[in-house]
Amino acid sequence: MSDNVRHIRTPLARVRGRGAARSGTGHFWRQRLTAVANIPLTIAAIIIIITLLGRNQAAAAQILGSPLVAIIMLLFVISVTVHMRIGMQVIIEDYVHDESAKLTLIMANTFFAVAVALACAFGILKLAFGV
Amino acid sequence: MAEIKAPAARPLSPHLQIYRPMLTMMMSIVHRITGFGNYFGMLILAWWLIAAASGPNAYAKFEWVAGSIIGRTILFGYTWSVIHHMLGGIRHLIWDTGRGFGPNEREWLAAANLVGSIAITVVLWIVGLLAMGGPR
Protein backbone atom coordinates (compact mmCIF):
# COMPACT_ATOMS: atom_id res chain seq x y z
CA MET A 1 0.00 0.00 0.00
CA SER A 2 2.84 2.34 0.87
CA ASP A 3 4.14 1.52 -2.60
CA ASN A 4 1.07 3.14 -4.15
CA VAL A 5 1.62 6.30 -2.12
CA ARG A 6 5.17 6.74 -3.32
CA HIS A 7 4.48 6.07 -6.99
CA ILE A 8 1.78 7.73 -9.07
CA ARG A 9 2.29 5.26 -11.93
CA THR A 10 0.58 1.89 -11.76
CA PRO A 11 2.76 -1.15 -11.06
CA LEU A 12 2.01 -2.46 -14.57
CA ALA A 13 3.08 0.82 -16.23
CA ARG A 14 6.23 0.85 -14.14
CA VAL A 15 7.20 -2.69 -14.99
CA ARG A 16 6.60 -2.07 -18.69
CA GLY A 17 8.68 1.11 -18.43
CA ARG A 18 7.57 2.49 -21.75
CA GLY A 19 6.28 5.90 -20.64
CA ALA A 20 3.76 8.24 -22.24
CA ALA A 21 5.13 7.87 -25.75
CA ARG A 22 4.93 4.03 -25.55
CA SER A 23 8.47 3.77 -26.79
CA GLY A 24 10.39 3.67 -23.50
CA THR A 25 13.97 4.82 -23.77
CA GLY A 26 14.16 3.93 -27.47
CA HIS A 27 14.79 7.49 -28.65
CA PHE A 28 17.21 8.25 -25.82
CA TRP A 29 19.31 5.21 -26.62
CA ARG A 30 19.19 5.63 -30.43
CA GLN A 31 20.23 9.29 -30.12
CA ARG A 32 23.36 8.24 -28.23
CA LEU A 33 24.05 5.28 -30.53
CA THR A 34 23.93 7.51 -33.62
CA ALA A 35 25.87 10.28 -31.82
CA VAL A 36 28.75 7.85 -31.26
CA ALA A 37 28.53 6.59 -34.86
CA ASN A 38 28.38 10.15 -36.21
CA ILE A 39 31.80 11.08 -34.79
CA PRO A 40 34.00 8.82 -36.96
CA LEU A 41 31.55 8.99 -39.88
CA THR A 42 31.53 12.82 -39.91
CA ILE A 43 35.33 12.93 -39.74
CA ALA A 44 35.48 10.47 -42.65
CA ALA A 45 32.88 12.45 -44.64
CA ILE A 46 34.83 15.70 -44.11
CA ILE A 47 38.05 14.02 -45.33
CA ILE A 48 36.20 12.71 -48.40
CA ILE A 49 34.69 16.14 -49.15
CA ILE A 50 38.07 17.91 -48.81
CA THR A 51 39.63 15.29 -51.10
CA LEU A 52 36.99 16.10 -53.73
CA LEU A 53 37.41 19.89 -53.58
CA GLY A 54 38.65 21.37 -56.82
CA ARG A 55 38.02 18.20 -58.84
CA ASN A 56 35.63 18.13 -61.78
CA GLN A 57 32.41 16.15 -61.85
CA ALA A 58 33.92 13.10 -63.53
CA ALA A 59 36.65 12.75 -60.90
CA ALA A 60 34.26 13.49 -58.02
CA ALA A 61 31.77 10.96 -59.38
CA GLN A 62 34.46 8.29 -59.72
CA ILE A 63 35.73 8.75 -56.15
CA LEU A 64 32.25 9.03 -54.60
CA GLY A 65 31.16 5.91 -56.47
CA SER A 66 34.10 3.75 -55.37
CA PRO A 67 32.92 1.02 -52.96
CA LEU A 68 34.66 2.13 -49.75
CA VAL A 69 33.77 5.82 -50.14
CA ALA A 70 30.19 5.00 -51.13
CA ILE A 71 29.73 2.70 -48.12
CA ILE A 72 31.16 5.32 -45.71
CA MET A 73 28.92 8.04 -47.20
CA LEU A 74 25.86 5.77 -46.98
CA LEU A 75 26.58 4.97 -43.32
CA PHE A 76 27.10 8.68 -42.66
CA VAL A 77 23.79 9.61 -44.28
CA ILE A 78 21.81 6.89 -42.47
CA SER A 79 23.29 7.63 -39.03
CA VAL A 80 22.93 11.42 -39.42
CA THR A 81 19.35 11.35 -40.69
CA VAL A 82 18.24 9.05 -37.85
CA HIS A 83 20.01 11.33 -35.34
CA MET A 84 18.62 14.57 -36.78
CA ARG A 85 15.06 13.23 -36.90
CA ILE A 86 15.11 12.42 -33.17
CA GLY A 87 16.77 15.76 -32.36
CA MET A 88 14.20 17.77 -34.30
CA GLN A 89 11.37 15.82 -32.67
CA VAL A 90 12.70 16.84 -29.25
CA ILE A 91 12.76 20.49 -30.36
CA ILE A 92 9.17 20.22 -31.67
CA GLU A 93 7.96 18.55 -28.46
CA ASP A 94 9.65 21.25 -26.38
CA TYR A 95 8.27 24.31 -28.17
CA VAL A 96 5.04 23.33 -29.98
CA HIS A 97 2.25 22.91 -27.46
CA ASP A 98 -0.77 22.83 -29.78
CA GLU A 99 -1.54 19.13 -30.19
CA SER A 100 -2.48 19.11 -33.88
CA ALA A 101 0.37 21.42 -34.88
CA LYS A 102 2.77 19.23 -32.90
CA LEU A 103 1.61 16.00 -34.56
CA THR A 104 1.74 17.65 -38.01
CA LEU A 105 5.29 18.86 -37.45
CA ILE A 106 6.42 15.50 -36.05
CA MET A 107 5.05 13.85 -39.20
CA ALA A 108 6.66 16.47 -41.47
CA ASN A 109 9.93 15.92 -39.59
CA THR A 110 9.88 12.21 -40.38
CA PHE A 111 8.98 12.85 -44.02
CA PHE A 112 11.84 15.36 -44.33
CA ALA A 113 14.41 13.06 -42.71
CA VAL A 114 13.37 10.10 -44.86
CA ALA A 115 13.34 12.21 -48.04
CA VAL A 116 16.82 13.65 -47.35
CA ALA A 117 18.17 10.18 -46.50
CA LEU A 118 16.71 8.69 -49.67
CA ALA A 119 17.89 11.55 -51.90
CA CYS A 120 21.45 11.24 -50.59
CA ALA A 121 21.41 7.44 -50.78
CA PHE A 122 20.04 7.54 -54.32
CA GLY A 123 22.81 9.91 -55.41
CA ILE A 124 25.51 7.74 -53.84
CA LEU A 125 24.12 4.48 -55.22
CA LYS A 126 23.67 5.96 -58.69
CA LEU A 127 27.34 6.97 -58.66
CA ALA A 128 28.41 3.58 -57.29
CA PHE A 129 26.42 1.53 -59.79
CA GLY A 130 27.13 3.97 -62.61
CA VAL A 131 23.73 3.96 -64.28
CA MET B 1 -22.31 28.26 -4.82
CA ALA B 2 -18.59 28.02 -4.98
CA GLU B 3 -16.89 31.26 -5.72
CA ILE B 4 -14.00 31.36 -8.16
CA LYS B 5 -11.02 32.62 -6.25
CA ALA B 6 -8.37 34.74 -7.89
CA PRO B 7 -5.20 32.67 -8.28
CA ALA B 8 -2.74 33.22 -5.48
CA ALA B 9 0.29 35.27 -6.46
CA ARG B 10 2.72 32.44 -6.13
CA PRO B 11 6.21 32.78 -7.53
CA LEU B 12 6.55 31.20 -10.95
CA SER B 13 9.36 28.82 -11.71
CA PRO B 14 12.46 30.70 -12.82
CA HIS B 15 13.03 30.96 -16.53
CA LEU B 16 15.67 32.33 -18.88
CA GLN B 17 15.21 36.03 -18.04
CA ILE B 18 16.06 35.34 -14.38
CA TYR B 19 19.53 34.06 -15.07
CA ARG B 20 22.68 35.97 -15.91
CA PRO B 21 24.00 34.55 -19.20
CA MET B 22 26.71 32.02 -18.48
CA LEU B 23 29.03 30.24 -20.88
CA THR B 24 27.68 26.76 -20.10
CA MET B 25 24.12 28.01 -20.60
CA MET B 26 24.94 29.73 -23.89
CA MET B 27 26.72 26.58 -25.12
CA SER B 28 23.66 24.50 -24.29
CA ILE B 29 21.50 26.86 -26.38
CA VAL B 30 24.06 26.93 -29.20
CA HIS B 31 24.16 23.11 -29.22
CA ARG B 32 20.45 23.05 -29.97
CA ILE B 33 20.66 25.86 -32.55
CA THR B 34 23.57 24.17 -34.39
CA GLY B 35 21.67 20.87 -34.38
CA PHE B 36 18.69 22.70 -35.88
CA GLY B 37 20.92 24.27 -38.52
CA ASN B 38 22.70 21.00 -39.35
CA TYR B 39 19.27 19.43 -39.96
CA PHE B 40 18.65 21.79 -42.88
CA GLY B 41 22.33 21.75 -43.89
CA MET B 42 21.83 18.15 -44.96
CA LEU B 43 19.90 19.60 -47.92
CA ILE B 44 23.24 20.97 -49.19
CA LEU B 45 24.81 17.50 -48.97
CA ALA B 46 21.79 16.00 -50.77
CA TRP B 47 22.02 18.64 -53.51
CA TRP B 48 25.76 18.02 -53.90
CA LEU B 49 25.37 14.22 -54.16
CA ILE B 50 22.43 14.47 -56.58
CA ALA B 51 24.38 17.02 -58.66
CA ALA B 52 27.41 14.71 -58.80
CA ALA B 53 25.14 11.84 -59.85
CA SER B 54 23.32 13.97 -62.47
CA GLY B 55 26.28 15.06 -64.56
CA PRO B 56 28.73 17.88 -65.35
CA ASN B 57 26.09 20.61 -65.86
CA ALA B 58 24.29 19.98 -62.56
CA TYR B 59 27.66 19.75 -60.78
CA ALA B 60 28.84 23.02 -62.32
CA LYS B 61 25.65 24.71 -61.12
CA PHE B 62 26.26 23.48 -57.59
CA GLU B 63 29.91 24.57 -57.72
CA TRP B 64 28.89 28.03 -58.95
CA VAL B 65 26.48 28.52 -56.04
CA ALA B 66 28.86 26.96 -53.49
CA GLY B 67 31.72 29.09 -54.79
CA SER B 68 29.80 32.38 -54.59
CA ILE B 69 30.34 34.67 -51.62
CA ILE B 70 26.94 33.80 -50.14
CA GLY B 71 27.54 30.10 -50.82
CA ARG B 72 30.94 30.14 -49.16
CA THR B 73 29.61 32.07 -46.17
CA ILE B 74 26.84 29.51 -45.69
CA LEU B 75 29.28 26.61 -46.11
CA PHE B 76 31.70 28.19 -43.61
CA GLY B 77 28.87 28.59 -41.11
CA TYR B 78 27.72 25.05 -41.80
CA THR B 79 31.24 23.69 -41.23
CA TRP B 80 31.46 25.48 -37.88
CA SER B 81 27.94 24.36 -36.95
CA VAL B 82 28.75 20.69 -37.66
CA ILE B 83 32.08 20.81 -35.79
CA HIS B 84 30.57 22.69 -32.85
CA HIS B 85 27.68 20.23 -32.59
CA MET B 86 30.09 17.29 -32.82
CA LEU B 87 32.33 18.62 -30.02
CA GLY B 88 29.20 19.48 -28.01
CA GLY B 89 28.01 15.93 -28.58
CA ILE B 90 31.31 14.54 -27.27
CA ARG B 91 30.78 16.75 -24.21
CA HIS B 92 27.33 15.23 -23.75
CA LEU B 93 28.72 11.71 -24.12
CA ILE B 94 31.30 12.50 -21.40
CA TRP B 95 28.46 13.72 -19.17
CA ASP B 96 26.53 10.51 -19.93
CA THR B 97 29.30 8.59 -18.16
CA GLY B 98 28.78 10.77 -15.08
CA ARG B 99 32.03 12.68 -15.53
CA GLY B 100 32.74 16.36 -16.21
CA PHE B 101 30.09 17.95 -13.97
CA GLY B 102 32.48 19.69 -11.55
CA PRO B 103 32.54 23.52 -11.52
CA ASN B 104 35.94 23.72 -13.20
CA GLU B 105 35.42 20.79 -15.54
CA ARG B 106 32.16 22.04 -17.00
CA GLU B 107 33.55 25.55 -17.58
CA TRP B 108 36.67 24.09 -19.16
CA LEU B 109 34.65 21.75 -21.38
CA ALA B 110 32.41 24.62 -22.53
CA ALA B 111 35.39 26.82 -23.38
CA ALA B 112 37.20 23.95 -25.14
CA ASN B 113 34.04 23.28 -27.15
CA LEU B 114 33.88 26.89 -28.38
CA VAL B 115 37.59 27.46 -28.99
CA GLY B 116 38.03 23.99 -30.50
CA SER B 117 35.14 24.40 -32.93
CA ILE B 118 36.45 27.74 -34.24
CA ALA B 119 40.04 26.48 -34.50
CA ILE B 120 39.10 23.24 -36.29
CA THR B 121 36.79 25.11 -38.70
CA VAL B 122 39.54 27.58 -39.64
CA VAL B 123 42.09 24.76 -40.11
CA LEU B 124 39.65 22.76 -42.26
CA TRP B 125 39.01 25.80 -44.47
CA ILE B 126 42.71 26.52 -44.89
CA VAL B 127 43.26 22.87 -45.89
CA GLY B 128 40.20 23.01 -48.16
CA LEU B 129 41.23 26.21 -49.91
CA LEU B 130 44.76 24.87 -50.39
CA ALA B 131 43.26 21.68 -51.86
CA MET B 132 41.39 23.88 -54.35
CA GLY B 133 44.65 25.46 -55.43
CA GLY B 134 44.84 28.39 -53.03
CA PRO B 135 42.53 31.36 -52.67
CA ARG B 136 41.29 32.60 -56.01
Side-chain angles (χ1 to χ4, degrees):
Chain A
M1 203 57 219
S2 63
D3 203 39
N4 286 341
V5 177
R6 275 190 280 117
H7 300 283
I8 291 170
R9 300 169 69 196
T10 64
L12 182 63
R14 203 158 72 251
V15 83
R16 280 179 175 159
R18 293 173 77 81
R22 305 279 172 266
S23 59
T25 55
H27 272 188
F28 177 90
W29 173 248
R30 204 170 304 151
Q31 194 68 339
R32 270 124 195 102
L33 184 76
T34 50
V36 171
N38 282 348
I39 297 167
L41 290 172
T42 303
I43 293 168
I46 288 172
I47 292 169
I48 290 166
I49 289 165
I50 287 179
T51 309
L52 293 174
L53 289 176
R55 291 177 197 262
N56 62 20
Q57 186 268 340
Q62 195 187 11
I63 294 169
L64 275 172
S66 64
L68 184 64
V69 173
I71 290 167
I72 290 170
M73 289 305 288
L74 281 172
L75 289 172
F76 170 77
V77 165
I78 293 165
S79 185
V80 163
T81 48
V82 169
H83 186 85
M84 75 181 204
R85 173 178 167 262
I86 300 170
M88 187 58 83
Q89 182 165 336
V90 172
I91 293 178
I92 294 165
E93 287 164 350
D94 276 358
Y95 302 131
V96 182
H97 303 305
D98 178 75
E99 198 62 21
S100 60
K102 183 169 76 181
L103 288 175
T104 308
L105 283 172
I106 286 175
M107 273 192 188
N109 175 42
T110 300
F111 294 158
F112 180 87
V114 171
V116 168
L118 196 96
C120 290
F122 177 81
I124 297 163
L125 291 174
K126 188 170 182 293
L127 288 164
F129 297 142
V131 282
Chain B
M1 288 290 283
E3 270 180 54
I4 298 166
K5 287 181 192 166
R10 295 191 188 93
L12 298 167
S13 61
H15 200 47
L16 283 179
Q17 66 271 21
I18 298 294
Y19 297 107
R20 179 172 51 91
M22 292 175 293
L23 185 62
T24 46
M25 169 181 133
M26 299 313 290
M27 297 302 279
S28 171
I29 296 167
V30 169
H31 188 71
R32 177 161 284 200
I33 293 171
T34 51
F36 187 87
N38 295 345
Y39 180 92
F40 294 103
M42 279 298 281
L43 287 172
I44 303 173
L45 184 83
W47 182 17
W48 176 60
L49 289 169
I50 295 287
S54 298
N57 289 337
Y59 201 71
K61 202 172 283 175
F62 175 86
E63 281 191 309
W64 184 82
V65 175
S68 67
I69 297 201
I70 295 171
R72 289 219 169 156
T73 308
I74 290 169
L75 286 173
F76 187 82
Y78 183 36
T79 311
W80 173 76
S81 182
V82 167
I83 299 294
H84 189 94
H85 196 79
M86 184 165 81
L87 294 183
I90 292 170
R91 210 157 53 104
H92 275 277
L93 290 171
I94 293 169
W95 285 335
D96 283 344
T97 68
R99 298 177 182 87
F101 285 108
N104 293 328
E105 292 164 312
R106 59 172 189 253
E107 291 298 324
W108 182 87
L109 279 170
N113 192 166
L114 184 61
V115 174
S117 67
I118 295 168
I120 291 171
T121 303
V122 169
V123 168
L124 283 176
W125 270 69
I126 290 170
V127 173
L129 288 172
L130 288 176
M132 294 188 75
R136 276 176 262 182

Short mmCIF file of all heavy atoms in Angstrom, two decimals, chain B residues 96-117:
data_model
loop_
_atom_site.label_atom_id
_atom_site.label_comp_id
_atom_site.label_asym_id
_atom_site.label_seq_id
_atom_site.Cartn_x
_atom_site.Cartn_y
_atom_site.Cartn_z
N ASP B 96 27.32 11.74 -20.05
CA ASP B 96 26.53 10.51 -19.93
C ASP B 96 27.23 9.46 -19.08
O ASP B 96 26.59 8.57 -18.52
CB ASP B 96 26.23 9.93 -21.32
CG ASP B 96 25.12 10.70 -22.03
OD1 ASP B 96 24.41 11.47 -21.36
OD2 ASP B 96 24.98 10.55 -23.26
N THR B 97 28.58 9.54 -19.00
CA THR B 97 29.30 8.59 -18.16
C THR B 97 29.36 9.07 -16.72
O THR B 97 29.97 8.41 -15.87
CB THR B 97 30.74 8.37 -18.68
OG1 THR B 97 31.48 9.58 -18.46
CG2 THR B 97 30.77 8.01 -20.15
N GLY B 98 28.79 10.24 -16.45
CA GLY B 98 28.78 10.77 -15.08
C GLY B 98 29.97 11.64 -14.77
O GLY B 98 30.12 12.12 -13.65
N ARG B 99 30.83 11.87 -15.76
CA ARG B 99 32.03 12.68 -15.53
C ARG B 99 31.83 14.10 -16.07
O ARG B 99 30.96 14.35 -16.89
CB ARG B 99 33.24 12.05 -16.22
CG ARG B 99 33.59 10.67 -15.72
CD ARG B 99 34.76 10.11 -16.52
NE ARG B 99 35.10 8.74 -16.09
CZ ARG B 99 34.51 7.66 -16.60
NH1 ARG B 99 33.60 7.77 -17.53
NH2 ARG B 99 34.87 6.46 -16.18
N GLY B 100 32.68 15.02 -15.62
CA GLY B 100 32.74 16.36 -16.21
C GLY B 100 31.71 17.34 -15.68
O GLY B 100 31.44 18.34 -16.32
N PHE B 101 31.13 17.06 -14.51
CA PHE B 101 30.09 17.95 -13.97
C PHE B 101 30.65 18.95 -12.95
O PHE B 101 29.92 19.82 -12.49
CB PHE B 101 28.97 17.14 -13.32
CG PHE B 101 28.07 16.48 -14.32
CD1 PHE B 101 28.09 15.11 -14.52
CD2 PHE B 101 27.18 17.24 -15.07
CE1 PHE B 101 27.26 14.50 -15.45
CE2 PHE B 101 26.34 16.64 -15.99
CZ PHE B 101 26.38 15.26 -16.18
N GLY B 102 31.91 18.79 -12.56
CA GLY B 102 32.48 19.69 -11.55
C GLY B 102 32.52 21.12 -12.06
O GLY B 102 32.50 21.36 -13.26
N PRO B 103 32.57 22.11 -11.12
CA PRO B 103 32.54 23.52 -11.52
C PRO B 103 33.64 23.88 -12.51
O PRO B 103 33.39 24.60 -13.48
CB PRO B 103 32.72 24.27 -10.21
CG PRO B 103 32.61 23.29 -9.12
CD PRO B 103 32.69 21.92 -9.68
N ASN B 104 34.84 23.40 -12.29
CA ASN B 104 35.94 23.72 -13.20
C ASN B 104 35.84 22.94 -14.50
O ASN B 104 36.08 23.47 -15.57
CB ASN B 104 37.29 23.43 -12.53
CG ASN B 104 37.54 24.37 -11.37
OD1 ASN B 104 37.10 25.53 -11.40
ND2 ASN B 104 38.21 23.87 -10.35
N GLU B 105 35.48 21.66 -14.36
CA GLU B 105 35.42 20.79 -15.54
C GLU B 105 34.39 21.30 -16.55
O GLU B 105 34.66 21.36 -17.74
CB GLU B 105 35.05 19.36 -15.11
CG GLU B 105 36.12 18.66 -14.31
CD GLU B 105 35.54 17.43 -13.61
OE1 GLU B 105 34.48 17.55 -12.97
OE2 GLU B 105 36.15 16.37 -13.72
N ARG B 106 33.21 21.66 -16.05
CA ARG B 106 32.16 22.04 -17.00
C ARG B 106 32.49 23.36 -17.69
O ARG B 106 32.20 23.54 -18.86
CB ARG B 106 30.79 22.06 -16.34
CG ARG B 106 30.64 23.00 -15.17
CD ARG B 106 29.17 23.08 -14.73
NE ARG B 106 29.02 24.15 -13.76
CZ ARG B 106 28.82 23.95 -12.46
NH1 ARG B 106 28.78 22.73 -11.98
NH2 ARG B 106 28.69 24.98 -11.64
N GLU B 107 33.14 24.28 -16.96
CA GLU B 107 33.55 25.55 -17.58
C GLU B 107 34.64 25.29 -18.63
O GLU B 107 34.63 25.85 -19.71
CB GLU B 107 34.08 26.52 -16.52
CG GLU B 107 33.03 27.06 -15.57
CD GLU B 107 31.93 27.86 -16.26
OE1 GLU B 107 32.23 28.57 -17.24
OE2 GLU B 107 30.76 27.73 -15.83
N TRP B 108 35.58 24.41 -18.26
CA TRP B 108 36.67 24.09 -19.16
C TRP B 108 36.15 23.41 -20.41
O TRP B 108 36.57 23.73 -21.53
CB TRP B 108 37.67 23.18 -18.41
CG TRP B 108 38.86 22.83 -19.24
CD1 TRP B 108 40.01 23.54 -19.36
CD2 TRP B 108 39.01 21.67 -20.08
NE1 TRP B 108 40.86 22.92 -20.23
CE2 TRP B 108 40.29 21.78 -20.70
CE3 TRP B 108 38.20 20.58 -20.41
CZ2 TRP B 108 40.76 20.81 -21.60
CZ3 TRP B 108 38.68 19.63 -21.30
CH2 TRP B 108 39.94 19.76 -21.87
N LEU B 109 35.22 22.47 -20.23
CA LEU B 109 34.65 21.75 -21.38
C LEU B 109 33.91 22.71 -22.31
O LEU B 109 34.02 22.61 -23.53
CB LEU B 109 33.69 20.66 -20.90
CG LEU B 109 34.32 19.34 -20.43
CD1 LEU B 109 33.27 18.46 -19.76
CD2 LEU B 109 34.95 18.60 -21.60
N ALA B 110 33.17 23.66 -21.72
CA ALA B 110 32.41 24.62 -22.53
C ALA B 110 33.36 25.49 -23.34
O ALA B 110 33.15 25.72 -24.54
CB ALA B 110 31.51 25.47 -21.64
N ALA B 111 34.42 25.97 -22.69
CA ALA B 111 35.39 26.82 -23.38
C ALA B 111 36.12 26.05 -24.47
O ALA B 111 36.32 26.55 -25.58
CB ALA B 111 36.39 27.39 -22.37
N ALA B 112 36.50 24.79 -24.16
CA ALA B 112 37.20 23.95 -25.14
C ALA B 112 36.30 23.68 -26.34
O ALA B 112 36.77 23.65 -27.48
CB ALA B 112 37.62 22.62 -24.49
N ASN B 113 35.03 23.50 -26.08
CA ASN B 113 34.04 23.28 -27.15
C ASN B 113 34.03 24.47 -28.12
O ASN B 113 34.14 24.31 -29.34
CB ASN B 113 32.66 23.09 -26.51
CG ASN B 113 31.60 22.58 -27.46
OD1 ASN B 113 30.55 22.14 -27.05
ND2 ASN B 113 31.85 22.65 -28.77
N LEU B 114 33.97 25.68 -27.55
CA LEU B 114 33.88 26.89 -28.38
C LEU B 114 35.18 27.15 -29.13
O LEU B 114 35.18 27.32 -30.36
CB LEU B 114 33.50 28.08 -27.50
CG LEU B 114 33.27 29.40 -28.22
CD1 LEU B 114 32.11 29.27 -29.20
CD2 LEU B 114 32.98 30.51 -27.21
N VAL B 115 36.29 27.17 -28.37
CA VAL B 115 37.59 27.46 -28.99
C VAL B 115 37.95 26.38 -30.01
O VAL B 115 38.39 26.68 -31.12
CB VAL B 115 38.69 27.57 -27.90
CG1 VAL B 115 40.07 27.72 -28.52
CG2 VAL B 115 38.40 28.75 -26.97
N GLY B 116 37.71 25.11 -29.62
CA GLY B 116 38.03 23.99 -30.50
C GLY B 116 37.25 24.05 -31.81
O GLY B 116 37.81 23.81 -32.88
N SER B 117 35.96 24.39 -31.71
CA SER B 117 35.14 24.40 -32.93
C SER B 117 35.61 25.49 -33.90
O SER B 117 35.67 25.25 -35.11
CB SER B 117 33.66 24.60 -32.58
OG SER B 117 33.44 25.89 -32.06
#
